[in-house]
Amino acid sequence: MRSFAAAALIASSLVLISMLSANAFSTSSSNDNVSSLSAFRKARAQQTSNQLDASRLHFSILFVDDDNFHGRIAQGMLAKIVEYNDAICALFPYSATIEDSPEAPLDSSAPVDALFICESLELCYSTCAEDGTSFTLSSFDEYDLIIALNDEVQSLITRSLPMGEGYDKKCCTLSEFISVDFCGVQSKNAVTKETLQEMIEPSMWQRVKHYFQADKEGSISFDSALANSRASDVNNPPLLLSQNGGAIINPNGWPLAEAAMVVACAGITRFCLDTMDAQFDTAFSSLLDRHFYHPKHLDISIEEADDQLRRGSLSITGYFSPKERYNRICNHFDELRTKLP
């Protein structure tokens, strides 16, 4: 009896060890997957950021859809968020439709449902009501950033691109900008979900906040909402009844897709503004290195150094306020003193 009991105890222990090991392996594997996804998003975002040129002090952004519906709404959303964040002179949104797509309507006029949504969100009605334009590959040379409304649209675009030209790095999906790993790649401070929340205009946030919280908790997915969103979703109820009789968010309802689009537009704004800041930071640092590198340069006053920089590179120095320039020059001189013998 004791031998059977001992054998049973050993067997139970082995099963428990096996279960714990499997669970530990599963947890480790899950953490590795999350880490790999985060690294992939950051690398992808860095590639896209490197394709942008901030020297013109603005970025033009083109939303591309296949239904003449989502793009114009995203354009209006981004314009409103850009205005709220005092960036109307830096970011300019546009929209276009792939007219050869099976989903594309024959009529280029604005859909009635799209106009209703734009009006309810208090977006610029005249812009939303404009006739749709067709997307062409020449758009890659005309716009700084191409944003496909979903994976299907991105696939239609990228498979038509010439190989090896790097155009694919300028074409992102809207859902990519929901990720803080992606949209925060150039940020000096860590970008969080709360960072994006603060960038959303208050009246828009009221329509988003419940879905935003549900996405954070994992009960819904903004990524899936954008991937599966169709213009016909406006006819679906926003809520459904669960098996327990409670109300749950309809994954195919328009309000969920609308909330995801708003958050993504906040991510686009963060990504573009941070990219612009990062490029000018690098350019100004290079300017300092080229002008001030010798012990004799330390005898120059901050004001004289600023005048010297501005005379030769106003396109760079003009991006910063006088106070910011003085602080950067002062820090450069301090660092130079530590390096020179």
Side-chain angles (χ1 to χ4, degrees):
M1 292 292 291
R2 289 179 181 176
S3 60
F4 283 117
L9 179 60
I10 292 172
S12 299
S13 299
L14 289 173
V15 170
L16 178 59
I17 292 172
S18 176
M19 291 174 63
L20 291 174
S21 298
N23 185 59
F25 177 80
S26 176
T27 302
S28 175
S29 177
S30 176
N31 290 337
D32 289 343
N33 289 338
V34 171
S35 178
S36 297
L37 179 58
S38 175
F40 171 78
R41 284 171 170 166
K42 290 178 180 179
R44 163 84 173 145
Q46 187 64 58
Q47 289 179 331
T48 301
S49 180
N50 292 342
Q51 291 292 312
L52 301 181
D53 178 10
S55 63
R56 294 179 296 116
L57 298 175
H58 72 269
F59 294 138
S60 54
I61 302 160
L62 181 67
F63 292 101
V64 184
D65 62 22
D66 60 356
D67 55 11
N68 193 30
F69 178 84
H70 287 82
R72 65 176 65 244
I73 296 174
Q75 176 186 352
M77 288 176 173
L78 181 58
K80 188 167 185 175
I81 291 174
V82 163
E83 181 180 6
Y84 181 69
N85 289 275
D86 297 324
I88 58 175
C89 294
L91 305 180
F92 298 91
Y94 303 89
S95 61
T97 297
I98 300 178
E99 63 178 355
D100 293 335
S101 167
E103 301 290 332
L106 297 176
D107 188 359
S108 64
S109 60
V112 174
D113 287 336
L115 290 176
F116 174 78
I117 291 168
C118 290
E119 188 173 15
S120 68
L121 286 166
E122 298 181 349
L123 309 181
C124 178
Y125 188 85
S126 59
T127 300
C128 293
E130 291 177 352
D131 285 350
T133 58
S134 298
F135 172 80
T136 63
L137 292 183
S138 63
S139 298
F140 277 90
D141 296 320
E142 299 167 2
Y143 299 92
D144 297 288
L145 188 59
I146 308 294
I147 301 179
L149 266 291
N150 55 47
D151 292 336
E152 293 177 18
V153 174
Q154 185 187 44
S155 178
L156 288 172
I157 295 172
T158 55
R159 71 188 185 192
S160 301
L161 294 173
M163 297 293 292
E165 297 293 332
Y167 284 129
D168 58 309
K169 298 179 179 64
K170 288 180 63 174
C171 182
C172 304
T173 59
L174 184 58
S175 63
E176 287 183 283
F177 293 94
I178 292 174
S179 165
V180 294
D181 290 327
F182 191 99
C183 68
V185 70
Q186 293 288 8
S187 183
K188 294 179 181 178
N189 303 311
V191 172
T192 64
K193 293 286 189 181
E194 287 68 29
T195 306
L196 299 185
Q197 173 186 335
E198 292 169 359
M199 299 184 69
I200 300 173
E201 192 271 338
S203 65
M204 296 179 80
W205 172 246
Q206 292 302 314
R207 297 172 64 129
V208 168
K209 61 181 182 181
H210 299 299
Y211 301 97
F212 186 86
Q213 185 61 35
D215 178 71
K216 283 181 63 177
E217 295 170 352
S219 59
I220 60 170
S221 168
F222 277 165
D223 287 347
S224 297
L226 289 179
N228 301 317
S229 179
R230 297 292 181 267
S232 58
D233 290 347
V234 297
N235 300 315
N236 296 337
L239 299 175
L240 297 174
L241 287 178
S242 68
Q243 293 180 344
N244 297 326
I248 59 174
I249 294 172
N250 183 358
N252 295 315
W254 171 253
L256 175 56
E258 177 184 282
M261 290 173 68
V262 169
V263 175
C265 286
I268 293 169
T269 306
R270 182 75 278 146
F271 174 83
C272 290
L273 294 180
D274 286 344
T275 292
M276 195 171 291
D277 285 344
Q279 291 190 12
F280 275 100
D281 282 344
T282 300
F284 197 88
S285 295
S286 298
L287 204 59
L288 289 169
D289 290 338
R290 290 200 306 271
H291 281 78
F292 311 114
Y293 53 85
H294 193 274
K296 66 180 181 181
H297 295 145
L298 296 176
D299 297 329
I300 301 175
S301 69
I302 301 299
E303 291 77 8
E304 290 173 329
D306 184 53
D307 287 340
Q308 182 177 328
L309 292 177
R310 294 181 67 208
R311 282 196 300 270
S313 303
L314 191 58
S315 60
I316 297 174
T317 58
Y319 186 76
F320 303 95
S321 69
K323 182 179 180 180
E324 287 177 309
R325 293 197 304 271
Y326 289 176
N327 287 337
R328 289 168 185 267
I329 294 170
C330 186
N331 291 337
H332 179 76
F333 281 0
D334 290 342
E335 185 177 349
L336 191 59
R337 289 187 182 92
T338 64
K339 291 181 178 179
L340 293 175

